Amino acid sequence: MKDTISKMPDVEERVPPKDPGDSAGGSCKPETPGLPQEDKSGPEDPPSCLTETVNEVSKLSSEIGMNHDYMEEKVLPPSSLEGKVKETMHNAFWDHLKEQLSATPPDFSCALELLKEIKEILLSLLLPRQNRLRIEIEETLDMDLLKEEAKHGALKIPSLSKYVLNMMALLCAPVRDEAVQKLESITDPVWLLRGIFQVLGLMKMDMVNYTIQSLQPHLQEHSIQYERAKFQELLNKQPSLLNHTTKWLTQAAAELTTSPPTCPDTSDSSSVAGPSPNEAKNPEPLSPTMVLSQGFLNLLLWDPENEEFPETLLMDRTRLQELESQLHQLTIMASVLLVASSFSGSVLFGSPQFVDKLKRITKSLLEDFHSRPEEAILSVSEQVSQEIHQSLKNMGLAALSSDNATSLMGQLQNIARKENCVRSVIDQRIHLFLKCCLVLGVQRSLLDLPGGLTLIEAELAELGQKFINLTHHNQEVFGPYYTEILKTLISPAQALETKVESV
């Protein structure tokens, strides 16, 4: 990454092409399954300027560069109003289609609309080079020809469905092979068409995700250059725009003169933590990675009343707050599991099903923890104690004694206190894990989890990856600015090593 900002190319606005599968529909067309729809400030007020300007022009760019999640099928709860309405409309269409095909003579009007939609989705799944298949689909599903056949009552729905199935088997991703194969055993023409339409919706979503994944590196590079250029424009107008960022990194560097815990089992631990007590007199020089890692972690503990938030991270503030909330929830959950396991031993906690059940219970009951910590943790303690008691009883083991049950609930309720020793230790260990993730990556950091965190390994992996994605993108965009600031904070002996690298 260059230390100076090069001139960025002009950014063109591009309107995505219309998906061939999204055609205008009439009364005989079902809803296509698949994709969910979705002033100048003075130098004295740089945060306001950034949130109003950079946030607006770069929001989508940042999402593309940082977000590695792709499209997923939208599943509506059956009990929801939207779910009920959608199910009713779908059932009405398929019932109407069945009535038409069962009539004498058959009415193929809805079937033709459905075949037209199926044809367009199949065509949208083709790659540009697949011209032969494109011609074949166009000829086999020629709508003018099919309308003539329907007019004379000669439209062969079974043979057309079989052709579509063969084409789906050829075009689908391996993950859809089983779903397509299951369709081959359906004999009822209406249910077969319904299944075909549903699986085609999933295949269409697969193609969108494949396209996004293929373009991700190019989109990400564009995002980095675009965000940096917009920030530079503001910096040219307001030279003091990096004051809070400088203060943030200065504070992180000052904190590293103490002796924080080190990253376990790694030769790179010097990149994660400050000097040990034995090295206090002759500490190793700070590195950019150390300072930035400490700085990013400090953002997860940011006082909401402190308005001096780093200018380079204002766009990420909401994401950081979400990560902080997730971290807090994991701290409470891990604390609850650790206390509970000390009362029930390895018999219950050796069962992944039992642990998952306690996690679900704890997570659902902790939703109001922020506003009502005592009440929420009381509900957790009662429910967890009851689950342990009942599970021990079901296994034919000795249930908790009255004294143990009382002690368990008391220790669980104490977790609501910020100074609770179990909660404090778990919180420190999760922060250490995240610090290791920034240097070693998630998978290496998971290899040697400290006690109390193994039961939330999957949740930690998710949190760690989100944190890495956010910090990585931020460093890619603002690395040159961090490099210049860090040169003033790190000893001259490391002047050649102060260039910020992505973690």
Side-chain angles (χ1 to χ4, degrees):
M1 194 176 293
K2 297 180 180 180
D3 292 345
T4 56
I5 306 299
S6 58
K7 184 178 180 181
M8 298 296 110
D10 292 335
V11 179
E12 300 177 359
E13 292 188 5
R14 299 172 187 251
V15 179
K18 182 179 179 183
D19 192 321
D22 293 330
S23 60
S27 60
C28 283
K29 178 183 164 187
E31 180 183 346
T32 305
L35 306 181
Q37 297 299 318
E38 299 204 60
D39 71 9
K40 293 184 181 180
S41 300
E44 70 282 358
D45 190 23
S48 174
C49 176
L50 280 178
T51 52
E52 293 177 7
T53 308
V54 180
N55 230 9
E56 291 300 321
V57 298
S58 303
K59 187 175 181 180
L60 178 59
S61 176
S62 180
E63 281 292 337
I64 290 173
M66 187 186 317
N67 193 353
H68 297 276
D69 296 327
Y70 302 119
M71 295 286 189
E72 294 181 357
E73 182 183 10
K74 183 180 180 182
V75 180
L76 298 172
S79 59
S80 69
L81 178 60
E82 186 179 359
K84 290 179 179 178
V85 171
K86 187 173 182 178
E87 182 182 8
T88 300
M89 293 177 63
H90 280 201
N91 289 337
F93 169 80
W94 297 111
D95 289 344
H96 186 49
L97 177 63
K98 184 174 183 178
E99 290 176 5
Q100 286 191 341
L101 295 182
S102 301
T104 305
D107 181 353
F108 293 110
S109 57
C110 278
L112 286 170
E113 286 292 335
L114 188 59
L115 288 170
K116 178 182 178 183
E117 180 78 4
I118 288 174
K119 173 186 176 181
E120 291 176 344
I121 295 178
L122 287 175
L123 290 173
S124 74
L125 298 176
L126 297 177
L127 298 174
R129 64 176 180 275
Q130 294 177 305
N131 292 322
R132 184 184 63 79
L133 289 179
R134 188 178 303 277
I135 294 172
E136 181 183 325
I137 293 173
E138 291 280 8
E139 292 178 348
T140 305
L141 298 177
D142 185 327
M143 296 312 299
D144 291 334
L145 180 60
L146 295 182
K147 287 178 182 178
E148 284 299 316
E149 292 179 356
K151 187 184 297 184
H152 297 88
L155 187 65
K156 300 180 177 63
I157 297 294
S159 62
L160 289 171
S161 298
K162 182 175 178 58
Y163 170 79
V164 171
L165 277 179
N166 291 336
M167 192 58 62
M168 289 169 65
L170 183 64
L171 297 176
C172 73
V175 70
R176 306 297 177 196
D177 283 341
E178 184 178 356
V180 174
Q181 290 173 5
K182 287 182 179 179
L183 295 177
E184 296 174 356
S185 62
I186 301 177
T187 56
D188 182 279
V190 175
W191 279 101
L192 178 56
L193 286 171
R194 186 170 187 166
I196 286 174
F197 202 68
Q198 181 181 15
V199 176
L200 275 175
L202 298 176
M203 292 172 59
K204 181 179 177 181
M205 186 169 55
D206 294 338
M207 176 56 75
V208 172
N209 286 337
Y210 170 77
T211 304
I212 293 175
Q213 189 175 18
S214 301
L215 293 175
Q216 187 78 18
H218 307 288
L219 295 174
Q220 191 167 9
E221 179 59 28
H222 173 79
S223 166
I224 291 167
Q225 302 294 346
Y226 181 62
E227 287 183 65
R228 190 188 301 160
K230 300 306 292 186
F231 186 86
Q232 183 64 44
E233 289 179 10
L234 292 173
L235 186 60
N236 291 340
K237 298 176 182 178
Q238 302 180 42
S240 62
L241 203 55
L242 287 171
N243 285 356
H244 294 167
T245 301
T246 302
K247 186 174 181 179
W248 163 63
L249 291 176
T250 302
Q251 177 65 29
E255 291 177 8
L256 288 174
T257 59
T258 61
S259 304
T262 59
C263 208
D265 191 28
T266 170
S267 59
D268 297 324
S269 60
S270 61
S271 299
V272 184
S276 65
N278 294 333
E279 300 170 323
K281 294 182 180 180
N282 298 295
E284 292 184 5
L286 298 180
S287 73
T289 302
M290 291 166 58
V291 177
L292 277 170
S293 296
Q294 184 64 42
F296 285 128
L297 281 169
N298 288 346
L299 295 174
L300 296 177
L301 301 170
W302 197 267
D303 181 0
E305 301 299 322
N306 186 352
E307 298 180 356
E308 297 183 348
F309 200 82
E311 298 90 345
T312 55
L313 282 138
L314 280 173
M315 279 195 300
D316 299 317
R317 189 166 192 174
T318 299
R319 296 186 185 93
L320 286 164
Q321 290 172 342
E322 292 172 353
L323 291 179
E324 180 185 4
S325 176
Q326 187 176 346
L327 186 155
H328 185 255
Q329 185 183 69
L330 287 182
T331 298
I332 304 300
M333 179 187 292
S335 301
V336 168
L337 294 175
L338 183 59
V339 170
S341 65
S342 67
F343 281 83
S344 56
S346 60
V347 178
L348 291 183
F349 277 78
S351 167
Q353 292 78 12
F354 178 79
V355 174
D356 287 341
K357 186 175 183 180
L358 284 193
K359 285 182 182 180
R360 291 195 301 271
I361 291 172
T362 304
K363 184 176 181 180
S364 63
L365 295 177
L366 287 177
E367 290 181 356
D368 297 329
F369 185 88
H370 182 71
S371 58
R372 298 182 299 171
E374 288 81 10
E375 294 179 34
I377 206 67
L378 175 61
S379 298
V380 169
S381 65
E382 292 173 345
Q383 191 66 34
V384 168
S385 178
Q386 181 180 334
E387 287 295 331
I388 291 177
H389 177 85
Q390 190 60 46
S391 297
L392 289 172
K393 185 177 178 180
N394 292 342
M395 296 177 68
L397 301 173
L400 292 177
S401 66
S402 177
D403 289 343
N404 281 342
T406 301
S407 179
L408 170 61
M409 291 186 61
Q411 290 190 37
L412 288 175
Q413 290 173 45
N414 282 336
I415 295 173
R417 298 164 49 237
K418 291 183 179 180
E419 63 271 18
N420 176 263
C421 60
V422 175
R423 177 174 167 180
S424 297
V425 169
I426 292 296
D427 184 66
Q428 292 172 6
R429 290 176 178 176
I430 292 180
H431 277 85
L432 174 58
F433 167 78
L434 291 177
K435 201 168 190 177
C436 293
C437 285
L438 293 180
V439 177
L440 308 178
V442 175
Q443 295 307 315
R444 285 185 62 186
S445 300
L446 289 172
L447 294 178
D448 192 17
L449 283 176
L453 300 189
T454 54
L455 294 176
I456 58 167
E457 180 176 341
E459 292 81 2
L460 283 177
E462 179 186 352
L463 176 66
Q465 193 58 58
K466 287 181 179 178
F467 193 42
I468 285 179
N469 290 345
L470 186 152
T471 57
H472 174 86
H473 182 77
N474 182 267
Q475 288 183 76
E476 288 284 350
V477 175
F478 298 104
Y481 305 105
Y482 296 152
T483 295
E484 294 304 314
I485 295 172
L486 290 169
K487 282 181 179 179
T488 66
L489 303 178
I490 296 176
S491 62
Q494 285 190 300
L496 298 178
E497 302 177 15
T498 56
K499 184 178 179 180
V500 174
E501 297 181 0
S502 302
V503 294

